[in-house]
Amino acid sequence: MKKGLIVFVVLMIFVAVTPAFSASENDVVGKWLTDGGKSKVEIVKSGNEFKGKIVWLDEEVYPADDPEAGVVKYDRNNPDEKLRPRPILGLELVWGFTYNAKEHKWEKGKIYDPESGKTYNCTIKLDDKGNLDVRGSLDKWGLVGRTTVWKSVKE
């Protein structure tokens, strides 16, 4: 009975740490529709690093109910005043990722949230449906944070 329980626990641990979908390094390259459909991010490989910028916005100007209605959206919430004039369209949103072939994920990257002006640690995994699970976190282990799903854009 004890031996059977140990085998079961070992198998469950193996299943939990084995990725359900095997990715290759360049699978992240391309255009992705962010969660909620507000923007598209194009991820490219530059040297050994992966990074991405906003290439499309559903609304390029602030809406009528905003104090800056009609103004082209800019990085107004950035804590660095010198960076605030940057337009959101074209803004580098993710950067610094390297591919971990053993775990089939892109890691050690950063993601910037222009709505809050905050930057988070980030990892990216490709799920079995071909979507990206983008996890921004406060800690380097990814324990405290949230995951959003980005869908591939075929143009």
Side-chain angles (χ1 to χ4, degrees):
M1 177 72 173
K2 240 183 181 179
K3 189 175 181 182
L5 181 61
I6 291 171
V7 170
F8 176 75
V9 169
V10 169
L11 283 172
M12 293 312 298
I13 290 171
F14 178 76
V15 168
V17 297
T18 303
F21 180 77
S22 181
S24 65
E25 183 176 26
N26 291 321
D27 287 348
V28 73
V29 173
K31 291 184 182 172
W32 302 91
L33 184 64
T34 59
D35 195 23
K38 292 182 178 181
S39 62
K40 290 179 187 172
V41 175
E42 182 173 22
I43 297 178
V44 298
K45 185 175 183 184
S46 177
N48 292 325
E49 173 186 326
F50 293 87
K51 60 185 180 178
K53 66 180 180 177
I54 298 172
V55 295
W56 174 85
L57 292 169
D58 69 337
E59 293 182 335
E60 292 184 27
V61 297
Y62 291 108
D65 61 346
D66 190 279
E68 296 185 82
V71 173
V72 172
K73 290 183 178 179
Y74 64 98
D75 197 11
R76 65 182 176 185
N77 295 317
N78 196 304
D80 184 342
E81 287 184 36
K82 290 179 265 174
L83 298 178
R84 289 182 188 161
R86 302 184 300 179
I88 297 296
L89 190 60
L91 187 70
E92 191 169 78
L93 193 71
V94 293
W95 66 92
F97 291 90
T98 55
Y99 183 65
N100 179 332
K102 184 177 179 182
E103 296 186 30
H104 305 290
K105 68 179 179 179
W106 295 263
E107 59 187 13
K108 300 179 183 170
K110 299 285 185 184
I111 187 166
Y112 176 69
D113 176 7
E115 291 183 8
S116 69
K118 295 182 180 177
T119 300
Y120 301 95
N121 296 310
C122 190
T123 58
I124 299 173
K125 286 187 111 174
L126 196 63
D127 71 15
D128 59 352
K129 295 177 185 156
N131 299 318
L132 293 183
D133 290 337
V134 181
R135 179 150 183 88
S137 61
L138 298 171
D139 63 318
K140 67 180 182 178
W141 304 282
L143 300 174
V144 180
R146 77 179 173 109
T147 302
T148 62
V149 177
W150 294 4
K151 298 184 183 305
S152 179
V153 174
K154 306 292 184 212
E155 295 181 324

